[in-house]
Amino acid sequence: MSAKQYLGSVARRAALGLAFGSLASIAFAWSISGSVANEDGAPLGGVTIASFNYSGISGITDDAGNFSLSNEGPSGILPSMNSHHLDVQYKGNLLSISNISGTVVKVSLMNALGKVAYQNEFSGTNAVINLKKFTNQNFMILKVNANGTNNNYVLTKQGAARVLRKEGDIMATFMFNLAGYEPTGYTMKAEVETDVKVVMKKASATSSSSESPWPKSSSSSDLVAESSSSIGSFVTGEDVKPATVLSPGNHNYTVDGRLIIVHVPSTYTGEKAVPMIVDYHPIGNTAGGWAQSATYESETAADQVIIVYPDGGDYPQGGMMNGGHAWNVGPCCSMDDDVAFSRKFIAEVKKVAYIDSKRIYATGYSMGGGMSNYAACKMADVYAAVAPASFDLSSELIEGKYDGCKPARPIPVLNFRGTGDFVVNYNGGLSQAVPGRSITFLGAENNMKKWAELNGCTGSAEQGVPENGCQMYKSCKDGVQVGLCTNRLGGSCSGNSHEAGCARIGWNFMKQFSMP
């Protein structure tokens, strides 16, 4: 039986009642191949390709314009996991995990009811776990974490199969870039696509990245700028202990018609106020899709951290994503007031979970990183610190449009960026990925320097802080810090492409800080 046939049988069995929480139906891995040409049909080599909504997937066309991408293999959705050379096998009663790199690996086993049945960690090259006590279980989920990157497996009597995507999740969306041509987007329509033809148009003078399409006045923009009066202020008040304790797992709520997923770690007792992280999803994705990434869950469980995955607003009509959601960060990309929405759902979560109001944090990947950067401008009275990935502040915001970036207080910020990021260029510049919603990125270094300026930092950034590949301004107002981590961090969990960042470093940074 092939991997696809096996996963297909798992999906059919799950649909018949072998459900496991939000993983009730399992879909196949995906792959795409094809070619890129100009409008005259001439093949285009050297076109860079990166996914908006799947971390770490990127590629480049060959001289004949051909490309091939998949969420399996070295360029897949879990590149960090692949780089650790992990292999999981399940046969009989024995679960075997081969760990050639010898890095620390954490494993969690959950039964069909969503209960954590087993947890352990090891750092050797091989581990063998006897699951004889679970032989009556027809269906289990194994979560394997290596340096902040999670990989999920379905365990059945037929063996182990990696879970790559939940049926119904948003398909992969790609951005094709080549100098002299307009950025071109493509969203997959099936899980396996071959002979895909991508046509790129030559860039017109008005779309050149050397010319800003933005007038000095923001009055011509059709986006609605947020007004401070409509946002109001977030009053933390006294932290209230809810009458009931949420069980471990993911809990779905609806706030203003949008899905909010609240992840409760198995360590949560409800006896004390705990930290909370809001994890904003990429553009074109959803709360449910991004919750499957579980980027910060393993690294924060020991601290009983509640993680919230919210849905963004409606993606603009005519956009390339063909579904999913987006965030309003000023010049791009939805029309919703996501600052007011964030304040509201945080208040709602505090009604069901015992949250420490002084330890609420934000992170996010791609446009979710943009939303967490933007939230640091607009919600410094709520978020104690932020750790965005793969997105900068916009020049439009810094120039004063959309009420500018005016943090209510100095706020700690640590960004994660890759020099090989083809979606949000490391050096910044104009992006017209969303029709009618152009945005000009500051660039990774300028983004850090702008945050250092906003936070009153002095001196130079210290290199190698908190570790290799990072730099940090440590002399800032009120004891805050501003930093940037670039590329693969000493063999750790962040690559040099469009990446979801490093949860281990991000959490260790954020948890140092609390609201004054």
Side-chain angles (χ1 to χ4, degrees):
M1 178 184 291
S2 69
K4 289 181 180 178
Q5 290 173 326
Y6 171 62
L7 279 173
S9 82
V10 172
R12 288 190 291 274
R13 290 165 55 203
L16 291 172
L18 197 57
F20 175 77
S22 62
L23 294 173
S25 53
I26 306 299
F28 306 146
W30 58 256
S31 64
I32 181 173
S33 61
S35 60
V36 183
N38 62 20
E39 292 178 282
D40 296 326
L44 296 176
V47 177
T48 57
I49 312 167
S51 173
F52 270 108
N53 49 356
Y54 279 80
S55 175
I57 295 184
S58 62
I60 188 167
T61 59
D62 62 19
D63 291 341
N66 298 315
F67 69 92
S68 179
L69 293 168
S70 171
N71 61 345
E72 294 184 301
S75 63
I77 188 172
L78 295 168
S80 298
M81 189 68 73
N82 291 330
S83 69
H84 293 307
H85 306 291
L86 289 172
D87 180 60
V88 175
Q89 300 290 333
Y90 181 46
K91 188 174 182 180
N93 299 328
L94 299 181
L95 174 67
S96 302
I97 302 176
S98 176
N99 175 34
I100 297 175
S101 67
T103 188
V104 174
V105 174
K106 301 176 183 178
V107 297
S108 299
L109 184 68
M110 290 167 283
N111 62 24
L113 298 177
K115 302 291 186 182
V116 176
Y118 175 88
Q119 284 185 314
N120 207 341
E121 65 178 56
F122 65 93
S123 57
T125 56
N126 289 282
V128 178
I129 304 168
N130 192 331
L131 300 181
K132 184 176 181 180
K133 67 170 67 174
F134 304 112
T135 52
N136 62 327
Q137 297 287 331
N138 293 319
F139 182 89
M140 295 180 289
I141 290 290
L142 175 73
K143 297 184 74 171
V144 183
N145 175 277
N147 285 337
T149 302
N150 281 303
N151 207 345
N152 295 334
Y153 294 83
V154 174
L155 302 185
T156 70
K157 296 184 185 302
Q158 283 72 42
R162 189 153 61 105
V163 178
L164 295 167
R165 197 177 66 84
K166 184 164 66 70
E167 189 172 7
D169 284 352
I170 300 302
M171 296 296 292
T173 296
F174 304 95
M175 174 61 65
F176 294 77
N177 280 285
L178 182 65
Y181 288 83
E182 294 182 0
T184 304
Y186 181 83
T187 298
M188 292 181 66
K189 303 171 184 62
E191 289 167 326
V192 177
E193 294 190 25
T194 58
D195 199 29
V196 173
K197 306 294 185 184
V198 176
V199 177
M200 298 187 71
K201 298 179 180 180
K202 286 193 174 182
S204 62
T206 56
S207 65
S208 170
S209 61
S210 63
E211 299 182 22
S212 172
W214 291 95
K216 294 301 181 183
S217 169
S218 62
S219 60
S220 63
S221 173
D222 60 351
L223 282 176
V224 180
E226 297 165 337
S227 65
S228 57
S229 60
S230 67
I231 294 175
S233 60
F234 182 84
V235 180
T236 58
E238 182 180 354
D239 296 326
V240 178
K241 181 179 180 181
T244 59
V245 178
L246 287 179
S247 60
N250 290 352
H251 301 263
N252 294 353
Y253 299 93
T254 300
V255 178
D256 285 351
R258 298 199 217 173
L259 174 65
I260 305 296
I261 298 177
V262 178
H263 171 76
V264 179
S266 60
T267 52
Y268 176 69
T269 65
E271 292 300 315
K272 66 176 183 178
V274 300
M276 181 172 84
I277 292 176
V278 175
D279 195 345
Y280 294 102
H281 64 68
I283 191 172
N285 214 307
T286 62
W290 189 233
Q292 294 301 312
S293 71
T295 308
Y296 272 76
E297 290 178 12
S298 293
E299 291 298 328
T300 60
D303 296 309
Q304 300 189 48
V305 177
I306 301 291
I307 299 179
V308 179
Y309 303 98
D311 257 346
D314 290 336
Y315 187 79
Q317 293 296 318
M320 69 178 68
M321 301 304 168
N322 296 326
H325 301 283
W327 303 104
N328 181 355
V329 298
C332 197
C333 287
S334 85
M335 299 288 287
D336 295 276
D337 186 341
D338 289 319
V339 171
F341 173 62
S342 294
R343 293 173 181 273
K344 186 167 185 177
F345 73 67
I346 289 172
E348 292 300 313
V349 172
K350 292 183 65 179
K351 296 177 182 178
V352 297
Y354 199 4
I355 303 300
D356 184 343
S357 297
K358 290 189 175 184
R359 293 188 295 162
I360 300 176
Y361 309 93
T363 186
Y365 161 55
S366 194
M367 170 140 272
M371 184 59 204
S372 47
N373 262 306
Y374 188 73
C377 294
K378 308 290 186 178
M379 300 177 64
D381 60 321
V382 177
Y383 291 128
V386 300
S390 294
F391 212 95
D392 305 327
L393 291 171
S394 69
S395 296
E396 292 79 25
L397 190 69
I398 296 305
E399 290 168 3
K401 299 179 179 71
Y402 314 102
D403 202 28
C405 183
K406 304 171 184 177
R409 66 173 183 89
I411 180 170
V413 180
L414 176 62
N415 271 272
F416 294 91
R417 297 287 269 107
T419 54
D421 190 336
F422 304 130
V423 175
V424 180
N425 191 283
Y426 188 82
N427 295 319
L430 175 68
S431 172
Q432 295 178 311
V434 181
R437 301 289 185 268
S438 300
I439 184 171
T440 310
F441 298 114
L442 290 183
E445 295 281 348
N446 287 336
N447 189 70
M448 176 184 66
K449 291 175 182 177
K450 176 52 65 174
W451 275 119
E453 176 187 326
L454 291 168
N455 283 306
C457 302
T458 59
S460 301
E462 295 184 29
Q463 302 299 311
V465 180
E467 61 180 69
N468 183 44
C470 302
Q471 50 186 312
M472 190 78 68
Y473 284 93
K474 301 186 73 173
S475 299
C476 308
K477 286 184 179 179
D478 297 346
V480 308
Q481 297 179 19
V482 171
L484 170 66
C485 291
T486 301
N487 291 347
R488 196 164 296 281
L489 309 168
S492 186
C493 56
S494 183
N496 69 344
S497 181
H498 198 59
E499 308 283 347
C502 182
R504 173 177 54 78
I505 296 175
W507 176 233
N508 285 336
F509 171 79
M510 290 191 291
K511 72 180 182 180
Q512 301 175 83
F513 305 100
S514 60
M515 292 291 289

